[in-house]
Amino acid sequence: MSESIPAAHHATILEVAKEAGVSKTSVSRYFGDERERLSRQMQARIAAAAKRLGYRPNQMARGLKGGRSQLIGMLVADIRNPFSVAVMHGVEQACREKGYSLLVCNTDNDPAQERDHLNLLASYRIEGLVINAAGQPSRELRAFARQGTPLVLLDRLLSDFEADVVGLDNAQAIDMAIDHLQHQGYDDVLYLSEPVAQASSRQARLQRFQQRMANEPALNGEAHSLDLDNETQRLPDIITAFLARASHSAPAILCGNGNVTLTVAHVLQDQRIPLGSVGLLGIDELEWCSLVGPGITTLAQPTDAIGRAAVQSLLQRLEKPQRQTPPRRTHYQPRLTPRGSTCRPDTTNQCDPVSQERP
Amino acid sequence: MSESIPAAHHATILEVAKEAGVSKTSVSRYFGDERERLSRQMQARIAAAAKRLGYRPNQMARGLKGGRSQLIGMLVADIRNPFSVAVMHGVEQACREKGYSLLVCNTDNDPAQERDHLNLLASYRIEGLVINAAGQPSRELRAFARQGTPLVLLDRLLSDFEADVVGLDNAQAIDMAIDHLQHQGYDDVLYLSEPVAQASSRQARLQRFQQRMANEPALNGEAHSLDLDNETQRLPDIITAFLARASHSAPAILCGNGNVTLTVAHVLQDQRIPLGSVGLLGIDELEWCSLVGPGITTLAQPTDAIGRAAVQSLLQRLEKPQRQTPPRRTHYQPRLTPRGSTCRPDTTNQCDPVSQERP
DNA sequence: TTGTAGGCGTTATCAA
DNA sequence: TTGATAACGCCTACAA
């Protein structure tokens, strides 16, 4: 009792019980789901005692007993990607509403960090896992699946790995992009993507692009994928070559995600190529897209909905853990925001070169 | 053994002990810090058994017994703010390196959410708390402090609340901004800030601005603060009025943070005001700043260092919990990146209107 | 409506 | 070098 408080001291249920002069069961009931069953008096006594002592139930002890940690884990490949953050925001909101807390782990696209984080999440006995991570499923991830933890894959599926998937309707996104470019008079399209091996959504987009190009005699197509961390220097050449080849026509660049859009915008700026004369359309909406030149046309993903759907999918499996249920796929439609970057200057199009919208 | 696995099943230390034919104490030692004390044989037996059963120590039980959750909490006012995310990234890295995990809570600038999250963090018995949140310290926050949990305030101090603080050297930031503007030939500065009541760093910046203006006879100054969520519509008028008043001179706008920069950039675009003719300088570096017009000049905060310093501060107090130690303040210097937005077009300045840097 | 007793998975203390 | 046993703080029967 004469401790010097070596670390933070937390009141326990027993201390509250003593302070209130009741049994710890009653205190437990008060803070659990059975507050109703206690008499007015008792409730008041406990409330007062708890307040006096600054008592907070210990979630560790709770989880230990009931086996329910009330924790959802989320694996994010790159926390600095605004898209990931936006989805994460939706995930967190949904978790809160359902009484769960979210434990977010950023892997920085590093498999080693991913494994570490998965071990960590396992040690906290998370009840569900939202994954937005790279390439091959690790041993640790398979362990989660095997052992019955509900999983949801965000934006990308994992090869040879069954789980619910929530994300964009990639085929439709590509279709909308191509249709828009074509409608605006562009007839030669360069599709740029990050390495497709790392994410199925990239693969799906690329595949659809090639498929469409094969079926549209009026359009020319070309696709490249490159690693933005190490191969950015290749980009100027790729673009220059494309423009040279397409000099007789109306060229446009389609960016597979927000990172690509950012990088391409830098290259075009360096080369003093005005947006619009070369069309530019990016998948993923970014807050600054309307600020660059005449504005960059984008396809926005409904990030909030995607995040919420992921949690819903998780909870559904949590409530009825019948493993039989086949994996579900939920795909959302993108929203097109036309801006000046897909408005050809030599046409009499009606598009306002400076869009007036606000973030 | 013939269970239908109603929920995820996790092997326990006892199961591993049985499987290996040893006592659970030994297994505990193996996974704790005393693996050395075990014989080679024993280590091998346990490793094999654990692997066979897919055993992971239960962090809940661990935390319960030892009182150490290995968890650091972080309160973020707005997770969608790139600055916050960048700092958070540094915090997380540092935590990992020190064997702690990070529990991030986004408050969306909502005091109610902040209280909820603080209760949550308390219930998980976090050992330290990094705070980047609004205005007045809540009762919950004071509870943390009173009860001895180490706290670090990020970017903003809280009124009437003692704790370590890590952030930008705000006075110097303002000085650097004003010096740069003045050197570039601007002589009338409009300072725009989000509401200062919510964050001490805003207050410090504003105060220094006014102080400098009072002491520089060659400069005209004017400051406004406004709530970007509800008062954005006031901004065009403020800027128009400023430009009208400053029509005879060389006007510049200084933005108190990244959000303000974004909003101001939109307004200037809407009003077709070219950057440079009106100077624009923003505190906080953003990935798109070099893309807008001739590029927006910024003062970057060393986000990673700030995040790491916060954790270091925490751990220091965790290791020697002598409450006597007075609060420490760590301030970092910003880095100026000059771009076209602070290059007056009518001068013979050498500044390249389009900066060539990459993100 | 309230209280008692046992156990959740782990570590710490003691003994062998 | 190992093992038995008692906590840690809470919840959930069961009993009163």
Side-chain angles (χ1 to χ4, degrees), chain B residues 7-277:
Chain B
H9 176 74
H10 295 268
T12 75
I13 204 172
L14 186 61
E15 291 170 338
V16 176
K18 273 187 192 159
E19 174 82 13
V22 303
S23 81
K24 52 182 190 157
T25 308
S26 297
V27 180
S28 172
R29 290 199 172 107
Y30 181 84
F31 286 99
D33 291 326
E34 311 180 84
R35 187 173 301 188
E36 319 296 326
R37 287 175 43 180
L38 269 35
S39 65
R40 283 269 172 249
Q41 282 188 49
M42 172 120 324
Q43 291 192 31
R45 294 175 64 88
I46 295 176
K51 182 154 195 176
R52 237 171 294 144
L53 271 50
Y55 170 74
R56 306 267 167 228
N58 184 331
Q59 189 63 36
M60 300 276 167
R62 259 188 184 174
L64 182 55
K65 178 60 186 165
R68 307 223 27 192
S69 65
Q70 300 283 93
L71 245 29
I72 301 286
M74 178 167 180
L75 223 53
V76 178
D78 176 12
I79 192 68
R80 284 179 283 200
N81 182 331
F83 168 74
S84 300
V85 176
V87 173
M88 175 178 132
H89 190 259
V91 171
E92 202 212 8
Q93 298 288 92
C95 284
R96 268 174 63 79
E97 285 165 17
K98 302 298 184 179
Y100 287 84
S101 308
L102 186 66
L103 203 45
V104 180
C105 295
N106 170 42
T107 68
D108 271 343
N109 274 309
D110 173 6
Q113 279 201 52
E114 176 176 330
R115 284 201 306 278
D116 285 359
H117 282 312
L118 283 172
N119 282 328
L120 180 84
L121 292 173
S123 78
Y124 280 102
R125 297 299 185 260
I126 56 164
E127 300 182 40
L129 180 56
V130 180
I131 309 157
N132 164 236
Q136 299 308 313
S138 57
R139 206 167 49 76
E140 285 75 9
L141 192 51
R142 293 194 182 282
F144 267 107
R146 188 172 343 114
Q147 156 250 69
T149 306
L151 303 178
V152 190
L153 266 27
L154 259 190
D155 183 51
R156 38 185 95 173
L157 346 77
L158 294 174
S159 54
D160 187 25
F161 187 84
E162 289 226 327
D164 292 345
V165 178
V166 178
L168 190 68
D169 184 333
N170 293 298
Q172 187 176 30
I174 293 296
D175 284 350
M176 286 173 67
I178 291 177
D179 291 348
H180 175 73
L181 289 174
Q182 199 165 17
H183 179 260
Q184 295 295 103
Y186 297 97
D187 59 9
D188 206 333
V189 184
L190 171 64
Y191 180 70
L192 293 173
S193 166
E194 291 197 78
V196 296
Q198 288 172 30
S200 72
S201 59
R202 294 177 191 162
Q203 219 148 5
R205 290 171 196 177
L206 175 61
Q207 195 180 332
R208 181 63 162 209
F209 176 79
Q210 288 170 328
Q211 190 179 324
R212 278 294 302 265
M213 287 303 123
N215 293 336
E216 299 277 359
L219 286 180
N220 246 317
E222 179 179 339
H224 285 270
S225 66
L226 78 174
D227 178 353
L228 294 182
D229 291 328
N230 304 310
E231 302 185 312
T232 309
Q233 71 286 355
R234 280 182 52 209
L235 198 52
D237 292 340
I238 292 176
I239 291 177
T240 305
F242 166 69
L243 293 180
R245 177 177 74 59
S247 62
H248 56 292
S249 56
I253 300 177
L254 175 52
C255 302
N257 68 25
N259 285 335
V260 175
T261 306
L262 177 64
T263 313
V264 168
H266 273 114
V267 171
L268 294 180
Q269 181 185 57
D270 287 352
Q271 305 200 348
R272 309 281 203 280
I273 300 172
L275 298 184
S277 73

Side-chain angles (χ1 to χ4, degrees), chain A residues 328-350:
Chain A
R328 254 194 332 158
R329 313 223 155 156
T330 315
H331 289 307
Y332 284 90
Q333 305 196 352
R335 191 169 45 75
L336 176 75
T337 304
R339 297 194 179 98
S341 72
T342 51
C343 188
R344 295 183 61 211
D346 54 335
T347 60
T348 50
N349 272 351
Q350 294 303 332

Side-chain angles (χ1 to χ4, degrees), chain A residues 18-239:
Chain A
K18 273 185 191 160
E19 174 83 12
V22 302
S23 81
K24 49 181 195 156
T25 308
S26 297
V27 180
S28 173
R29 290 201 173 109
Y30 181 83
F31 285 99
D33 290 328
E34 312 179 83
R35 189 173 298 189
E36 318 296 326
R37 287 174 43 178
L38 301 177
S39 67
R40 284 269 171 247
Q41 282 188 49
M42 171 114 337
Q43 292 193 31
R45 295 173 65 88
I46 295 177
K51 182 157 196 174
R52 238 172 292 145
L53 271 49
Y55 171 73
R56 306 270 167 224
N58 183 330
Q59 187 64 34
M60 302 273 171
R62 255 188 188 173
L64 184 53
K65 177 59 186 170
R68 309 221 27 194
S69 65
Q70 300 282 92
L71 243 31
I72 300 287
M74 178 166 179
L75 224 53
V76 179
D78 176 11
I79 193 68
R80 286 180 282 201
N81 182 330
F83 168 73
S84 300
V85 175
V87 172
M88 175 179 133
H89 190 257
V91 171
E92 201 212 9
Q93 298 288 92
C95 284
R96 269 173 63 78
E97 286 165 17
K98 303 297 185 181
Y100 287 85
S101 307
L102 185 66
L103 204 46
V104 180
C105 295
N106 170 42
T107 69
D108 272 343
N109 275 310
D110 172 6
Q113 279 202 53
E114 176 175 329
R115 283 201 307 276
D116 285 358
H117 282 312
L118 283 172
N119 282 327
L120 180 84
L121 292 173
S123 78
Y124 280 102
R125 298 299 187 260
I126 56 165
E127 301 182 38
L129 181 56
V130 181
I131 308 155
N132 164 235
Q136 298 307 313
S138 57
R139 205 168 50 77
E140 284 75 8
L141 192 51
R142 293 195 182 281
F144 266 107
R146 187 174 342 115
Q147 156 248 70
T149 305
L151 304 178
V152 189
L153 266 27
L154 261 189
D155 182 52
R156 41 186 93 173
L157 345 78
L158 294 175
S159 54
D160 187 24
F161 187 84
E162 289 227 326
D164 291 347
V165 178
V166 178
L168 190 69
D169 184 330
N170 292 299
Q172 188 178 29
I174 293 296
D175 284 349
M176 285 173 67
I178 291 177
D179 291 347
H180 175 72
L181 288 174
Q182 197 164 19
H183 179 259
Q184 294 295 103
Y186 296 97
D187 59 9
D188 205 334
V189 183
L190 171 64
Y191 181 69
L192 293 173
S193 166
E194 290 195 79
V196 296
Q198 286 172 33
S200 70
S201 59
R202 295 177 191 162
Q203 218 147 6
R205 290 170 196 176
L206 175 60
Q207 193 181 334
R208 181 62 163 210
F209 176 79
Q210 288 170 327
Q211 189 179 327
R212 277 294 301 266
M213 285 304 125
N215 292 335
E216 299 275 358
L219 285 180
N220 246 317
E222 179 179 340
H224 286 270
S225 66
L226 78 175
D227 177 353
L228 293 182
D229 291 327
N230 304 312
E231 303 185 311
T232 309
Q233 72 283 358
R234 279 183 52 208
L235 198 52
D237 291 341
I238 293 176
I239 291 177

